[in-house]
């Protein structure tokens, strides 16, 4: 349908005598599809995931720095794998520079914990400024599949300390969603979140608002009657026993 619409949009300029037929084609509505709710990790789940890599191994230190950077900055996996050493600035004005979709460049600030992780990794990584930030033992840049495989491995390890991860399908883009949700829950405006993630427009950030149940619960609390008791309803043992007998 995208190709057809593109062709007939071009044809509308070249053959105005067929404008009626072309307009009928362009009026064909897009196919409906199910839009799933955004999957993201809670703070406890993120901590368990970052604790999974083995700090005694070179790959473990690399993976922890890589996953922590992805969660804090919300970089796409393609942006993460394309980073070089000199894209990281530590100290005053610490930030990471990346090139996103449409060759749009942006800079995302780094907090102190991630600076500490990256500083330790850069010392272990060595190399020159133009070298890949996250690489294999032989110095080759990590691929998207390699990042997904490492994340899957550490997620299986993290399940042992955080059972809630069992029910979640974890892939690299989930880390980006987790970053957006942490910003949203901290009260950051959706316009700032869109700039942080490199979205083309603010509407792309609406999915995170729909996924956050705490925002909806606060909205529901505002509609409660003045005489209602605050907090969630807690049924009594008598009510629970009655429900069990049904």
């Amino acid at each position: 349908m995208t190709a057809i619409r593109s062709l007939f949009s071009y044809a509308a300029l070249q053959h105005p005598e067929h404008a009626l037929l072309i307009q009928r084609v362009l009026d064909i509505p897009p196919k409906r599809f199910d839009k799933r709710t955004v999957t993201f990790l809670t703070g406890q789940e993120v901590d368990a995931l970052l604790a999974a890599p083995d700090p005694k191994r070179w790959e473990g230190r690399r993976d922890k720095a890589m996953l922590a950077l992805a969660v804090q900055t919300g970089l796409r996996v393609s942006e993460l794998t394309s980073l070089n050493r000199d894209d990281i600035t530590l100290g005053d004005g610490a930030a990471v520079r990346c090139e996103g979709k449409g060759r749009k460049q942006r800079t995302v600030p780094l907090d102190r914990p991630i600076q500490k992780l990256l500083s330790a990794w850069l010392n272990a990584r060595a190399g020159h400024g133009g070298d890949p930030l996250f690489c294999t033992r032989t110095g080759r840049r990590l691929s998207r599949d390699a990042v997904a495989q490492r994340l899957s491995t550490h997620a299986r390890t993290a399940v042992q300390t955080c059972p809630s991860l069992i029910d979640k399908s974890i892939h690299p883009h989930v880390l980006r969603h987790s970053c957006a949700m942490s910003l949203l829950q901290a009260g950051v405006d959706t316009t700032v979140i869109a700039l942080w993630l490199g979205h083309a427009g603010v509407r792309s950030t609406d999915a995170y608002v729909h996924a956050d149940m705490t925002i909806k619960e606060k909205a529901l609390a505002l509609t409660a009657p003045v005489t209602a008791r605050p907090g969630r309803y807690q049924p009594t043992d008598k009510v629970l026993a009655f429900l069990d007998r049904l």
Side-chain angles (χ1 to χ4, degrees), residues 39-100:
T39 300
F40 65 96
L41 304 181
T42 64
Q44 182 181 3
E45 291 168 344
V46 169
D47 292 340
L49 184 63
L50 296 182
D54 186 356
K56 298 179 181 179
R57 302 186 64 221
W58 186 87
E59 291 85 353
R61 295 192 293 272
R62 176 200 63 193
D63 292 350
K64 183 171 184 176
M66 179 174 63
L67 297 179
L69 181 64
V71 170
Q72 201 251 300
T73 60
L75 295 182
R76 301 177 179 90
V77 64
S78 58
E79 298 168 346
L80 192 67
T81 56
S82 65
L83 291 176
N84 295 327
R85 281 178 52 90
D86 54 9
D87 290 327
I88 300 294
T89 301
L90 301 178
D92 296 335
V96 56
R97 298 180 301 276
C98 70
E99 186 175 278

Side-chain angles (χ1 to χ4, degrees), residues 69 72-73 85-98 106-119 122 196:
L69 181 64
Q72 201 251 300
T73 60
R85 281 178 52 90
D86 54 9
D87 290 327
I88 300 294
T89 301
L90 301 178
D92 296 335
V96 56
R97 298 180 301 276
C98 70
R106 72 181 188 278
T107 303
V108 183
L110 301 174
D111 60 15
R112 292 188 179 277
I114 190 62
Q115 285 189 62
K116 185 177 179 180
L117 282 175
L118 288 173
S119 178
L122 288 173
W196 188 290

Side-chain angles (χ1 to χ4, degrees), residues 180-194 196 205 215:
M181 292 303 297
S182 65
L183 292 172
L184 185 64
Q185 292 169 353
V188 179
D189 188 81
T190 53
T191 304
V192 178
I193 297 176
W196 188 290
T205 316
I215 292 179

Side-chain angles (χ1 to χ4, degrees), residues 2-75:
T2 301
I4 291 173
R5 292 182 66 84
S6 178
L7 173 62
F8 277 80
S9 296
Y10 172 78
L13 301 176
Q14 302 299 321
H15 298 281
E17 67 274 15
H18 299 297
L20 180 60
L21 175 60
I22 292 173
Q23 188 59 46
R24 290 179 61 189
V25 174
L26 294 177
D27 286 341
I28 298 175
K31 182 180 179 180
R32 295 180 180 273
F33 62 95
D34 296 331
K35 194 169 185 179
R36 297 180 180 179
T37 305
V38 170
T39 300
F40 65 96
L41 304 181
T42 64
Q44 182 181 3
E45 291 168 344
V46 169
D47 292 340
L49 184 63
L50 296 182
D54 186 356
K56 298 179 181 179
R57 302 186 64 221
W58 186 87
E59 291 85 353
R61 295 192 293 272
R62 176 200 63 193
D63 292 350
K64 183 171 184 176
M66 179 174 63
L67 297 179
L69 181 64
V71 170
Q72 201 251 300
T73 60
L75 295 182

Side-chain angles (χ1 to χ4, degrees), residues 155-193:
R156 288 194 296 269
T157 303
V159 165
Q160 301 175 8
T161 57
C162 189
S164 62
L165 289 171
I166 297 176
D167 300 327
K168 294 190 175 180
S169 175
I170 301 177
H171 49 83
H173 214 67
V174 169
L175 304 182
R176 179 172 167 85
H177 294 330
S178 303
C179 171
M181 292 303 297
S182 65
L183 292 172
L184 185 64
Q185 292 169 353
V188 179
D189 188 81
T190 53
T191 304
V192 178
I193 297 176

